[in-house]
Amino acid sequence: VSERNQREAQELEVVVGPVAHGGHCVARHDGRVVFVRHALPGERVTAVVTEERKGYLRADAVAVHEPSPDRVEPPCRYARPGGCGGCDFQHVTPAAQRALKATVVREQLRRLAGHDVPDLVVQPLPGGMLGWRSRVQYTVDSAGRLGFHAHRSTVVVPVERCLIASASVQPSVGSSGTGVVEAVASSGGDVSVYTRRSRMDSRVVPVTGPAEVRELAAGREWTVPADAFWQVHPAAPDVLADAVVSMLEPRPGERAWDLYGGVGLFAAALAPRLGPSGPITVVESDPASVDAARHNLADLPQIRVVRADVAKALANPRWRRVDLVVLDPPRSGAGRDVVRAILAREPRAVAYVACDPAAFARDVRTFHEAGWRLTELRAYDAFPMTHHVESVGLFSLHSSSNA
Ligand SMILES: C[S@@+](CC[C@H](N)C(=O)[O-])C[C@H]1O[C@@H](n2cnc3c(N)ncnc32)[C@H](O)[C@@H]1O
């Protein structure tokens, strides 16, 4: 390959097409699909190829010849080709970010579940686009500086300041070691920092701050292990809990399951509506979260917290009667077996809280195949500046579909 051809293979001029799941837009060049980051639909850009795969290329827009009206100067200086891989949409107006996310959720549902949601709107959460992130995972580079990985790379981009992170969890929180530094700023006012040798390492070494942080949500104060799951956006727990309760319309005495329950946020939100005669079972596999759920919900004796894998718990035929199910699985989704096992119990309604639209859409398909319908869908911008989006779907067997 001549030097000139090599240069041509690396730099492409393309007109950018629609957004796709993952923080990029789709373009075509010489009949090949190109996933272009740092671009917007309709723009004509020069893009540098960052990865060549069998059926497609990945590329970063490095020069914009015809900018979209939705384009803005990224507020963060690290949000650029080759820079920090944490944010995908710093170059996009807030309203257009939410429109892109709505398009992605709609497209995933249409493609993977054959389901149309023409007027889906992604709603903003209170608090603006910057300074919202209450939990940050920094990687330490070889010089001991805190930073983030470049996109799809192990290269660490050191940062002095992360604009989407809360002021209390900036890189100045420091660390004593190598590997990963995690910092938490809780809604109850605590700041905790701890380290891990790697992202996969489950053993954490505390650096500063309490081992358990106070969080405020669902009208309660919670004590949560600093390294346990809690929503990253400080407004998300209340917004999601309100959505779940208003969609399920719990009635006194109904039985509920809070699956993938964490420390029991949704169980606590349902309890006042179900009343003391409405038993709730929380299922969670992480031992520390289970302990925290039992401790935090000790004043609500109608709530039982079970430490188990959800699929294994549902395989137990003695788990029979349930009216309402909340399902908040990790990014991989609940999966066919779990969805089928839930529907076999014929609950009145299921609320599904989803952080990945593709996994959600695959599970929607399983609901549909079993004769259930997605009757309502809400979506929230719980991760401004990134491509991530949180959705809450309501499923029922007997209701006519209006979603
Ligand atoms: C997205 S979080 C939701 C937590 C909680 N609903 C909340 O809003 O705070 C998912 C939770 O599922 C738990 N988990 C992951 N896989 C699981 C499984 N197979 N069975 C039970 N729990 C699981 C994780 O430990 C985590 O607490």
Side-chain angles (χ1 to χ4, degrees), residues 48-388:
V48 171
V49 174
T50 53
E51 210 177 310
E52 191 155 0
R53 290 297 177 115
K54 214 165 176 194
Y56 61 90
L57 304 170
R58 294 181 187 275
D60 283 347
V62 292
V64 183
H65 310 299
E66 284 170 24
S68 158
D70 296 326
R71 177 174 281 277
V72 291
E73 191 58 35
C76 174
R77 65 187 164 105
Y78 304 106
R80 53 178 164 72
C84 171
C87 288
D88 313 282
F89 291 153
Q90 288 255 352
H91 62 289
V92 187
T93 65
Q97 290 187 27
R98 296 193 288 273
L100 292 175
K101 296 181 194 199
T103 302
V104 167
V105 174
R106 279 201 310 266
E107 191 250 350
Q108 294 296 311
L109 282 169
R110 196 172 44 240
R111 210 158 56 81
L112 299 172
H115 184 80
D116 268 324
V117 199
D119 23 301
L120 180 70
V121 170
V122 172
Q123 299 174 42
L125 296 193
M129 302 299 286
L130 301 175
W132 53 269
R133 200 173 177 97
S134 69
R135 279 149 172 80
V136 184
Q137 190 180 55
Y138 294 104
T139 302
V140 183
D141 78 356
S142 53
R145 297 170 300 185
L146 269 55
F148 299 106
H149 283 131
H151 185 61
R152 295 176 64 80
S153 163
T154 53
V155 170
V156 179
V157 178
V159 301
E160 279 169 17
R161 193 166 166 70
C162 171
L163 292 187
I164 62 169
S166 143
S168 328
V169 291
Q170 293 299 325
S172 52
V173 293
S175 94
S176 49
T178 55
V180 166
V181 175
E182 294 181 22
V184 173
S186 79
S187 52
D190 296 316
V191 177
S192 269
V193 181
Y194 51 95
T195 62
R196 299 178 200 265
R197 267 178 303 196
S198 74
R199 273 161 199 267
M200 294 301 139
D201 187 5
S202 59
R203 209 175 65 93
V204 303
V205 179
V207 178
T208 57
E212 295 185 323
V213 296
R214 288 164 299 167
E215 296 286 358
L216 309 173
R220 306 168 69 88
E221 182 175 296
W222 300 75
T223 311
V224 180
D227 61 325
F229 180 89
W230 186 261
Q231 284 287 340
V232 166
H233 194 297
D238 272 338
V239 168
L240 298 175
D242 287 351
V244 162
V245 171
S246 77
M247 289 162 97
L248 287 177
E249 299 181 338
R251 300 168 195 159
E254 283 188 316
R255 292 164 174 262
W257 292 347
D258 178 2
L259 306 181
Y260 309 93
V263 299
L265 171 71
F266 297 121
L270 290 171
R273 300 283 288 271
L274 297 173
S277 63
I280 306 174
T281 304
V282 177
V283 183
E284 164 62 42
S285 59
D286 171 49
S289 299
V290 168
D291 287 347
R294 288 185 180 140
H295 169 76
N296 280 285
L297 305 173
D299 61 314
L300 297 167
Q302 71 272 36
I303 300 182
R304 180 170 68 121
V305 183
V306 176
R307 177 182 159 191
D309 171 81
V310 167
K312 288 193 183 131
L314 296 186
N316 183 345
R318 284 197 312 205
W319 283 46
R320 270 198 311 258
R321 272 200 50 211
V322 66
D323 302 298
L324 304 175
V325 178
V326 184
L327 189 55
D328 185 11
R331 292 195 67 72
S332 49
R336 192 171 276 260
D337 292 348
V338 165
V339 172
R340 284 187 174 165
I342 293 167
L343 301 187
R345 272 73 172 190
E346 298 202 348
R348 178 170 69 73
V350 179
Y352 188 135
V353 181
C355 59
D356 182 72
F360 176 61
R362 283 192 292 273
D363 285 337
V364 171
R365 190 190 168 106
T366 306
F367 277 89
H368 283 180
E369 285 167 355
W372 284 62
R373 281 288 158 261
L374 176 60
T375 51
E376 193 181 341
L377 180 64
R378 302 184 193 177
Y380 301 97
D381 193 7
F383 311 91
M385 300 292 187
T386 77
H387 75 273
H388 296 285

Side-chain angles (χ1 to χ4, degrees), residues 1-12 29-30 32 47 49 52 57:
V1 185
S2 76
E3 204 183 302
R4 185 162 173 274
N5 279 348
Q6 234 177 15
R7 256 205 330 267
E8 277 172 3
Q10 288 167 354
E11 270 203 0
L12 321 168
H29 188 266
D30 280 349
R32 290 180 88 177
V49 174
E52 191 155 0
L57 304 170

